[in-house]
């Protein structure tokens, strides 16, 4: 399936929308043409919209959704890394960063400040084929968003400076270091793409770009790239939410209408990718689990064979019901294995991968044989009626779930317009997927997979090249460098605006926040149920929370709650785990047991029509677990291997060591809920059975429900939970906390790490919704809580040390912490720690300014409009009230505090909690690179084992 779309394909009958084409809409200004109207019909799941076009070529899509007082604005430019030239990679992604740095009428960093202060969220993303910028804000802020987006579309270049370019170039380097170089398997995709695609193919280089290409780039290159691709005729503006249509169209014409069209854009040619033979490549990495990754070139997004290839991937390797799971994961030779068919605009690939279980030898040659046998088994097995039915039901459910947020609907409309010229492409997809036959699946198997050459990549732990599937027989050519990075000469037109764009529009009247209306019930056995009605989609979100989790298990048995929950996702006494997974997939439902630091839980998601059958499966899993040895040995072994694998992740190491420093190594809060290799290794199936009896009792349970059903309809279906028995389990006292000595820097050596992970903090406040903890969070907002906080602006935007830096208070019922941290370039680790300390010390001494206080009040107050949109958000809100016994209107009290709290009160909290002498300082990084830097700060440096 296309990676940018909601997983789509519902039976064609589900959608019955009507399209009305017109030349002019009475609501639109004369310069805007109505192209198409797609209306909603009762009982249908389509996304209604109106599509317009401006004279300069800008496509505008409007989707009305008045259920929440917010709007989501998306500007998608049809330019990704595929539009770049060889040797000039990374420009599209660089622009994702550059276009947040201000424009002619928007000051540096003002984009983030304006939207955050308005209570909104924002971001941008880049892939091979498009770049999008989006923001979700309270509905009264829409005009301001259109002003911001139009200014960077039409007036970006006058504000582009060499200084901004250099800072963002450093930021992108930090992003690459954090997301690729310092992450296990991080370089897999770019190495694989070099082998799959021929040199010079637009998918042969990574979206983030080659570092040497970014170094080679000049300011002139960057300016030309913007002029070539960021014109209105290569963009789609999509607006969804609660807005007045006529007013919105008038604003669109005002702010975007006078921006001239850019150069003409032609669709790139979709040239099939072919391989002359199977190419074997390999790579050593700082990993524990050997990985084999295989791929065949196939078609392109929207091709007539795409749907059948998606179904083929699902049958061979799509979860517990697949052949991959049966032949590799169940048998223990792999800890994870899957098949997928990711598609991009110009090309798709059929990918198969497996993570080897080192306990079974870890030889990738054996996994390659297992994969080949699984593919051969599919050929002899063929496609069943159940295969076809299952995948179509899954697509129906995924489509409906994807419509639970305005952002999801807007993103779908924008992507479909960008790549197909048709926002209603989902309707076409439905027909494509609904019409797939068994014969189609076998035909695409024979056409694209059977006996076809592929790329086989082995990723093995450093020094273990004997584990590769086969010796390398392919060396990727060096990346090409085009002689000219220009395809169109551009004479940029200076825009003379008809109004003063330097004046930022004022916000409209603040919308009324729609806090969910709660209902409460008690089941016959006393289990509390809190719910709310949500009519936007025919879905049910049901969560059963059980007090306990990691906190209930003995410290020396850490990971027991986690392992018990994992076992409840396995077989019952009536059905094995594959049969259960198949039953859920046929319903389009999901049930997942999990455990964290303070609770175990089970989350159920279902289409409303299928709720009774889904609850029946929940009853079976909850009350009739098989707890058999075969499942236990496999689940435990998988978990141990992943714990070992995570030990190569710098961020995981930092979290683990930081917890030990704050709490000691004999306190639940200092040990992760997933446990350690030592603690999990000792756990037995009898331990799991005993913990199940302690944890999964009615007395520990509470329920949250969000659905389109009434209170009576929901509670009447919970009969199985109403018959649940068992008293609440008493928690043991917390062991004494022993925080490490402060006044030193603790260094954990991660050899050759390109980045260092910094964590600075102390024990602080347990959670409370309206007391000192809440106020401390308000105090921290300008220090490190917002994107444009002091810490992030300093370390990311001013210094270019990091991709992002922040600080925060975090609390649960019993304890809490204050933490500041970031991943920074190894060569500036000492300087970064110095800047953190300086920012914390200055904020403690001087507190926030009047402007920062005003910013915090505006941002957090208006942000409430975005907090209750989706069923998942509503469920979280209900759970918070339920867990901490809060008043239904506690948010009103919070708002009163935000409005009335004084700067002096907040600054007193800064003075109280931000004493650097009370904080531990941890660095996870390369000792050879960073130790001397840290010693120069004047602190003793203590090495951790």
């Amino acid at each position: 399936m296309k990676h940018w779309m909601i997983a789509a394909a519902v039976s064609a009958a589900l959608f019955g929308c009507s399209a009305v084409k017109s030349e002019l809409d009475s609501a639109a200004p004369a310069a805007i043409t109505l192209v198409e109207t797609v209306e909603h019909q009762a009982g249908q799941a389509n996304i209604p919209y109106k599509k317009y076009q401006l004279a300069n070529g800008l496509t505008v899509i409007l989707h009305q959704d008045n259920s929440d007082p917010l709007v989501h604005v998306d500007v998608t430019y049809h330019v990704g890394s595929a539009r770049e030239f060889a040797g000039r990679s990374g420009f599209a992604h660089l622009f994702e960063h550059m276009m947040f740095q201000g424009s002619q009428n928007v000051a540096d960093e003002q984009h983030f400040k304006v939207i955050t202060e308005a209570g909104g969220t924002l971001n941008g993303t880049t892939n091979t084929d498009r770049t999008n910028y989006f923001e979700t804000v309270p509905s009264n802020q829409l005009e301001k968003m259109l002003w911001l987006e139009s200014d960077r579309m039409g007036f970006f270049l006058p504000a582009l400076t060499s200084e901004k370019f250099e800072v963002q170039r450093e930021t992108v380097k930090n992003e690459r270091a954090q997301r690729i170089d310092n992450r296990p398997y991080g370089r897999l995709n770019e190495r694989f793409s070099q082998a799959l695609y021929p040199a010079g193919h637009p998918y042969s280089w990574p979206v983030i770009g080659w570092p040497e290409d970014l170094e080679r780039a000049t300011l002139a290159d960057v300016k030309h790239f913007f002029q070539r691709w960021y014109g209105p005729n290569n963009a789609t503006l999509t607006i969804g939410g609660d807005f007045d249509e006529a007013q919105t169209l008038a604003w669109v014409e005002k702010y975007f209408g006078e921006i001239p069209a850019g150069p003409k854009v032609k669709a790139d040619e979709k040239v099939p990718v072919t391989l002359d033979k199977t190419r074997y490549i390999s790579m050593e990495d700082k990993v524990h689990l050997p990985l084999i990754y295989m791929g065949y070139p196939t078609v392109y997004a929207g091709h007539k064979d795409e749907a059948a290839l998606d179904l083929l991937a699902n049958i061979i390797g799509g979860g517990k019901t697949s052949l991959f799971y049966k032949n590799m994961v169940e048998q223990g030779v792999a800890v994870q294995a899957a098949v997928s068919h990711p598609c991009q605009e110009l090309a798709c690939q059929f990918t198969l991968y497996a993570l080897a279980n080192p306990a079974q030898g870890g030889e990738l040659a054996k996994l390659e044989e297992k994969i080949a046998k699984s593919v051969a088994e599919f050929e002899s097995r063929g496609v069943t009626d159940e295969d076809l039915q299952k995948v179509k039901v899954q697509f129906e459910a995924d489509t409906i779930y994807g419509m639970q947020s305005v952002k999801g609907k807007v993103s779908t409309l924008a992507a479909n317009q960008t790549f197909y010229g048709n926002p209603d492409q989902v309707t076409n997809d439905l027909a494509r997927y609904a019409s797939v036959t068994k014969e189609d699946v076998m035909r695409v198997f024979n056409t694209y997979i059977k006996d076809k050459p592929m790329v086989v990549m082995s990723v093995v732990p450093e020094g273990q090249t004997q584990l590769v599937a086969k010796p390398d027989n392919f060396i990727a050519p060096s990346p090409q460098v085009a002689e000219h990075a220009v395809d169109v000469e551009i004479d940029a037109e200076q825009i003379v605006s008809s109004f003063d764009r330097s004046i930022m529009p004022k916000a409209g009247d603040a919308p009324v926040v729609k806090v969910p209306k709660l209902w409460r019930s008690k089941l016959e056995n006393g289990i509390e149920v809190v719910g709310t009605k949500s009519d936007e989609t025919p879905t049910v979100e049901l969560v059963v929370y059980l007090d306990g989790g990691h906190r209930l298990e003995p410290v020396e048995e850490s990971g027991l709650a986690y392992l018990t929950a994992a076992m409840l996702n396995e077989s019952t006494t009536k059905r094995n785990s594959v049969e259960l997974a198949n039953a859920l997939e046929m319903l389009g439902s999901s049930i997942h047991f999990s455990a964290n630091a303070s609770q175990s839980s089970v989350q159920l998601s279902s289409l409303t029509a299928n709720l009774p059958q889904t609850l029946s499966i929940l009853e079976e899993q909850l009350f009739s677990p098989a707890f058999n040895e075969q499942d236990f040995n496999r689940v435990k072994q998988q978990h141990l291997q992943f714990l070992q694998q995570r030990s190569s992740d710098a961020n995981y190491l930092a979290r683990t060591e930081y917890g030990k420093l704050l709490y000691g190594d004999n306190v639940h809060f200092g040990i992760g809920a997933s446990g350690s290799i030592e603690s999990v290794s000792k756990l037995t199936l009898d331990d799991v059975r005993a913990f199940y009896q302690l944890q999964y009792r009615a007395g520990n349970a509470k329920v949250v429900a969000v659905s389109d059903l009434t209170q009576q309809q929901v509670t009447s279906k919970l009969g199985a939970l109403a018959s649940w028995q068992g008293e609440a389990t008493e928690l043991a006292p917390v062991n004494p906390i022993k925080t490490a000595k402060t006044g030193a820097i603790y260094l954990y050596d991660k050899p050759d790490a390109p980045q260092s992970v910094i964590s600075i903090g102390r024990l602080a406040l347990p959670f409370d919704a309206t007391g000192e903890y809440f106020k401390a969070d308000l105090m921290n907002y300008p220090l490190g809580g917002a994107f444009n906080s002091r810490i992030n602006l300093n370390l990311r935007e001013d210094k270019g040390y990091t991709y992002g830096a922040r600080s925060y208070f975090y609390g649960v019922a019993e304890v809490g912490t204050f933490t500041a941290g970031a991943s920074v370039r190894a060569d500036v680790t000492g300087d970064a720690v110095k800047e953190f300390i300086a920012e914390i010390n200055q904020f403690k001494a001087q507190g926030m300014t009047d402007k920062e206080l005003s910013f915090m009040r505006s941002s957090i107050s208006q942000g409430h409009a975005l907090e209750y949109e989706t069923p998942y958000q509503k469920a979280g809100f209900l759970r918070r009230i339920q867990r901490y016994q809060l008043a239904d209107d506690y948010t009103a009290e919070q708002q009163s505090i935000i409005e009335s709290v004084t700067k002096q009160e907040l600054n007193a909290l800064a003075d109280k909690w931000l004493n650097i002498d009370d904080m531990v300082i941890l660095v996870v990084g390369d000792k050879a690179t960073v130790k001397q830097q840290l010693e120069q700060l004047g602190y003793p440096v203590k090495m951790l084992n």
Side-chain angles (χ1 to χ4, degrees):
M1 296 272 311
K2 298 170 291 299
H3 66 282
W4 57 75
M5 286 192 60
I6 297 171
V10 185
S11 62
L14 181 65
F15 268 63
C17 58
S18 62
V20 179
K21 295 190 180 294
S22 171
E23 289 301 318
L24 190 65
D25 179 20
S26 59
I32 300 181
T33 302
L34 174 65
V35 178
E36 180 183 38
T37 298
V38 171
E39 299 173 344
H40 177 69
Q41 292 185 357
Q44 307 305 321
N46 66 295
I47 307 174
Y49 65 88
K50 288 186 178 180
K51 174 180 170 180
Y52 298 88
Q53 191 165 61
L54 273 61
N56 58 11
L58 178 67
T59 298
V60 180
I61 301 169
L62 303 181
H63 163 67
Q64 291 273 358
D65 181 341
N66 307 122
S67 58
D68 292 282
L70 57 85
V71 289
H72 183 80
V73 179
D74 179 292
V75 180
T76 297
Y77 295 92
H78 197 170
V79 55
S81 57
R83 301 280 199 188
E84 297 162 353
F85 288 92
R88 294 293 191 274
S89 65
F91 279 25
H93 176 258
L94 179 63
F95 262 103
E96 180 201 316
H97 289 257
M98 294 296 298
M99 287 176 69
F100 285 104
Q101 301 310 303
S103 48
Q104 182 172 315
N105 302 291
V106 179
D108 296 358
E109 314 305 337
Q110 192 176 6
H111 211 106
F112 282 100
K113 182 179 186 299
V114 166
I115 294 174
T116 306
E117 190 169 20
T121 62
L122 70 160
N123 212 334
T125 66
T126 309
N127 63 30
T128 53
D129 305 303
R130 66 98 184 100
T131 304
N132 69 341
Y133 302 88
F134 50 88
E135 43 271 331
T136 307
V137 293
S139 53
N140 65 322
Q141 303 287 340
L142 176 56
E143 183 183 7
K144 202 178 295 182
M145 300 307 104
L146 299 177
W147 171 72
L148 287 167
E149 290 292 354
S150 66
D151 210 66
R152 65 176 165 192
M153 178 185 286
F155 302 85
F156 171 71
L157 288 183
L160 178 60
T161 65
S162 297
E163 291 76 16
K164 289 182 182 179
F165 173 57
E166 292 301 334
V167 168
Q168 293 311 310
R169 176 153 49 186
E170 289 303 311
T171 300
V172 170
K173 289 179 185 177
N174 284 314
E175 181 179 1
R176 178 184 171 85
Q178 182 172 324
R179 293 187 170 184
I180 296 176
D181 299 332
N182 206 30
R183 177 176 290 181
Y185 312 107
R187 289 174 290 134
L188 183 152
N189 286 325
E190 61 187 31
R191 289 285 308 278
F192 183 84
S193 294
Q194 282 185 292
L196 184 66
Y197 298 107
H201 188 284
Y203 291 167
S204 65
W205 52 79
V207 172
I208 202 169
W210 298 118
E212 53 269 27
D213 287 355
L214 288 171
E215 289 295 341
R216 188 183 298 116
T218 67
L219 192 61
D221 292 334
V222 172
K223 286 183 176 180
H224 184 275
F225 191 81
F226 176 84
Q227 292 169 326
R228 177 67 183 92
W229 299 112
Y230 290 82
N233 53 310
N234 196 37
T236 298
L237 167 64
T238 309
I239 303 168
D242 185 13
F243 57 85
D244 178 88
E245 182 179 342
Q247 179 62 79
T248 298
L249 288 170
W251 285 334
V252 169
E253 167 61 21
K254 174 182 178 180
Y255 291 110
F256 291 90
E258 61 188 16
I259 301 174
K264 291 184 178 180
V265 177
K266 296 189 299 183
D268 290 331
E269 189 176 0
K270 298 177 174 68
V271 179
V273 175
T274 59
L275 298 172
D276 54 349
K277 64 178 182 180
T278 293
R279 297 174 174 177
Y280 285 90
I281 59 174
S282 65
M283 179 179 75
E284 296 178 65
D285 200 358
K286 296 182 184 301
V287 297
H288 171 66
L289 301 175
L291 179 146
I292 186 167
Y293 193 87
M294 308 161 67
Y296 300 85
T298 59
V299 290
Y300 55 83
H303 188 279
K304 64 182 180 63
D305 289 340
E306 179 191 9
L309 284 159
D310 287 345
L311 180 53
L312 173 65
N314 186 277
I315 296 169
I316 298 177
K320 283 188 174 181
T321 60
S322 69
L323 297 172
F324 260 41
Y325 187 87
K326 174 177 73 75
N327 294 338
M328 286 182 281
V329 180
E330 270 195 357
Q331 294 182 19
V333 296
V335 296
Q336 193 177 92
V339 181
S340 61
H341 185 235
C343 272
Q344 296 154 282
E345 185 176 18
L346 306 180
C348 309
Q349 51 185 268
F350 194 90
T351 61
L352 315 90
Y353 83 91
L355 283 164
N357 186 350
Q360 297 287 331
E363 296 95 339
L364 296 180
K366 291 182 179 179
L367 270 188
E368 186 181 11
E369 291 176 10
K370 286 280 189 181
I371 289 171
K373 288 180 179 178
S374 298
V375 173
E377 182 178 345
F378 162 77
E379 183 177 12
S380 61
R381 166 195 181 279
V383 184
T384 67
D385 291 332
E386 191 175 76
D387 290 332
L388 292 175
Q389 177 66 19
K390 180 174 61 179
V391 75
K392 291 169 186 177
V393 170
Q394 287 178 295
F395 289 157
E396 174 183 356
D398 287 343
T399 300
I400 292 173
Y401 292 137
M403 294 180 181
Q404 291 180 332
S405 71
V406 172
K407 179 181 178 181
K409 292 182 284 187
V410 165
S411 299
T412 300
L413 293 170
N416 286 334
Q417 171 60 34
T418 299
F419 298 114
Y420 304 106
N422 176 20
D424 196 33
Q425 178 66 21
V426 169
T427 305
N428 296 337
D429 282 338
L430 299 179
R432 281 198 300 144
Y433 285 86
S435 64
V436 172
T437 66
K438 300 176 188 177
E439 292 74 22
D440 289 332
V441 178
M442 297 309 301
R443 175 180 53 79
V444 298
F445 171 75
N446 290 318
T447 302
Y448 303 102
I449 309 301
K450 183 181 178 182
D451 299 327
K452 297 298 186 292
M454 57 182 163
V455 174
V456 181
M457 183 173 186
S458 301
V459 183
V460 298
E462 289 181 330
Q464 298 188 41
T465 55
Q466 77 279 4
L467 298 178
V468 302
K470 283 187 176 64
D472 292 16
N473 66 357
F474 177 80
I475 299 176
S478 299
Q480 297 178 345
V481 179
E483 291 186 16
H484 302 286
V486 173
D487 66 337
V488 175
E489 295 295 338
I490 301 169
D491 183 13
E493 180 181 342
Q494 183 65 38
I495 305 172
V496 179
S497 189
S498 60
F499 63 98
D500 188 351
R501 287 181 174 266
S502 67
I503 301 174
M504 182 171 63
K506 294 182 179 180
D509 294 336
V512 177
V513 178
K514 301 178 182 179
V515 178
K517 184 178 181 181
L518 279 61
W519 55 258
R520 284 183 168 83
S521 290
K522 272 195 176 182
L523 303 182
E524 293 176 7
N525 55 1
I527 292 178
E528 297 177 11
V529 183
V530 177
T532 190
K533 195 169 186 288
S534 177
D535 294 319
E536 293 179 53
T537 54
T539 58
V540 177
E541 192 82 13
L542 187 77
V543 190
V544 181
Y545 295 95
L546 299 109
D547 291 335
H550 175 45
R551 181 67 181 78
L552 181 61
E553 65 199 12
V555 173
E556 62 274 12
E557 295 181 4
S558 291
L560 179 55
Y562 181 99
L563 204 59
T564 304
M567 285 296 292
L568 287 165
N569 290 315
E570 296 295 328
S571 305
T572 68
T573 56
K574 302 174 183 178
R575 287 182 279 191
N576 63 36
S577 60
V578 173
E579 292 167 333
L580 288 166
N582 188 65
L584 287 168
E585 289 174 1
M586 292 295 286
L587 295 169
S589 302
S590 65
I591 296 174
H592 183 68
F593 288 80
S594 62
N596 62 24
S598 57
Q599 63 191 20
S600 297
S601 63
V602 52
Q603 181 175 353
L604 178 152
S605 299
S606 172
L607 301 178
T608 303
N610 296 336
L611 179 60
Q613 303 96 306
T614 308
L615 283 170
S616 178
I617 297 174
L618 170 62
E619 179 182 2
E620 181 181 338
Q621 290 185 268
L622 183 59
F623 300 132
S624 306
F627 290 146
N628 63 57
E629 288 284 354
Q630 184 178 357
D631 284 344
F632 177 74
N633 291 335
R634 171 173 44 79
V635 168
K636 178 180 175 180
Q637 185 59 229
Q638 287 175 344
H639 187 47
L640 285 170
Q641 296 300 338
F642 279 116
L643 286 172
Q644 183 69 51
Q645 173 65 23
R646 292 170 73 181
S647 67
S648 62
D649 184 330
N651 289 290
Y652 173 75
L653 292 171
R655 289 193 300 272
T656 302
E657 297 303 319
Y658 184 61
K660 293 177 183 177
L661 290 173
L662 287 182
Y663 296 103
D665 57 6
N666 193 35
V667 179
H668 288 90
F669 307 115
I671 304 169
S674 57
S676 65
I677 293 173
E678 181 182 11
S679 65
V680 173
S681 296
K682 298 175 183 177
L683 298 178
T684 67
L685 186 54
D686 285 339
D687 294 329
V688 168
R689 292 187 179 115
F691 186 82
Y692 168 77
Q693 295 296 332
L694 282 176
Q695 174 70 99
Y696 292 88
R697 300 179 178 184
N700 295 327
K702 291 182 173 65
V703 177
V704 164
V706 180
S707 77
D708 61 335
L709 299 174
T710 65
Q711 175 180 352
Q712 194 279 329
Q713 288 172 321
V714 172
T715 54
S716 68
K717 292 177 170 57
L718 300 180
L721 296 181
S723 62
W724 198 358
Q725 298 300 311
E727 299 295 323
T729 307
E730 185 176 350
L731 296 177
V734 177
N735 289 337
I737 293 174
K738 298 180 180 179
T739 301
K741 291 183 179 180
T742 59
I745 296 177
Y746 294 88
L747 175 59
Y748 187 101
D749 185 23
K750 189 174 188 299
D752 303 321
Q755 281 197 316
S756 301
V757 182
I758 299 170
S759 300
I760 302 173
R762 58 168 295 175
L763 296 180
L765 293 154
F767 175 86
D768 69 65
T770 55
E772 187 173 345
Y773 173 85
F774 177 70
K775 293 175 183 177
D777 193 51
L778 302 181
M779 173 269 289
N780 174 69
Y781 199 69
L783 172 64
F787 180 90
N788 54 316
S789 66
R790 295 187 186 188
I791 286 174
N792 196 55
L793 289 183
N794 181 347
L795 274 79
R796 171 177 161 140
E797 300 302 314
D798 294 343
K799 303 294 193 307
Y801 291 167
T802 179
Y803 182 54
R806 61 191 292 250
S807 62
Y808 57 91
F809 284 87
Y810 173 76
V812 293
E814 296 167 294
V815 295
T817 59
F818 168 79
T819 302
S823 294
V824 303
R825 292 198 331 260
D827 65 310
V828 296
T829 302
D831 290 335
V833 171
K834 181 179 179 180
E835 292 300 325
F836 265 115
I837 293 172
E839 290 290 356
I840 292 170
N841 281 338
Q842 183 179 31
F843 201 80
K844 169 184 165 57
Q846 301 176 6
M848 68 175 65
T849 65
D850 289 334
K851 285 185 177 181
E852 287 174 329
L853 176 64
S854 175
F855 171 82
M856 178 275 292
R857 283 177 171 161
S858 176
S859 176
I860 297 179
S861 296
Q862 296 189 85
H864 292 321
L866 280 61
E867 291 180 353
Y868 316 110
E869 182 188 9
T870 67
Y872 181 79
Q873 288 175 302
K874 289 181 173 73
F877 172 70
L878 301 187
R879 175 54 183 163
R880 194 176 308 116
I881 288 176
Q882 186 186 65
R883 180 179 181 184
Y884 294 106
Q885 298 297 299
L886 305 177
D888 289 4
D889 63 348
Y890 81 92
T891 55
E893 185 178 350
Q894 286 185 333
Q895 183 57 38
S896 176
I897 293 171
I898 293 168
E899 293 171 356
S900 62
V901 67
T902 65
K903 186 176 69 170
Q904 289 72 24
E905 186 177 358
L906 295 178
N907 288 346
L909 288 174
D911 182 63
K912 178 178 180 180
W913 292 109
L914 299 183
N915 185 352
I916 199 71
D917 293 335
D918 295 334
M919 299 184 191
V920 297
I921 302 172
L922 169 69
V923 175
V924 176
D926 177 30
K927 172 184 174 182
T929 304
V930 308
K931 188 171 185 290
Q932 187 175 0
Q933 297 179 48
L934 298 174
E935 289 171 339
Q936 292 175 354
L937 299 178
Y939 289 87
V941 176
K942 298 185 177 182
M943 297 302 304
L944 297 174
N945 294 326

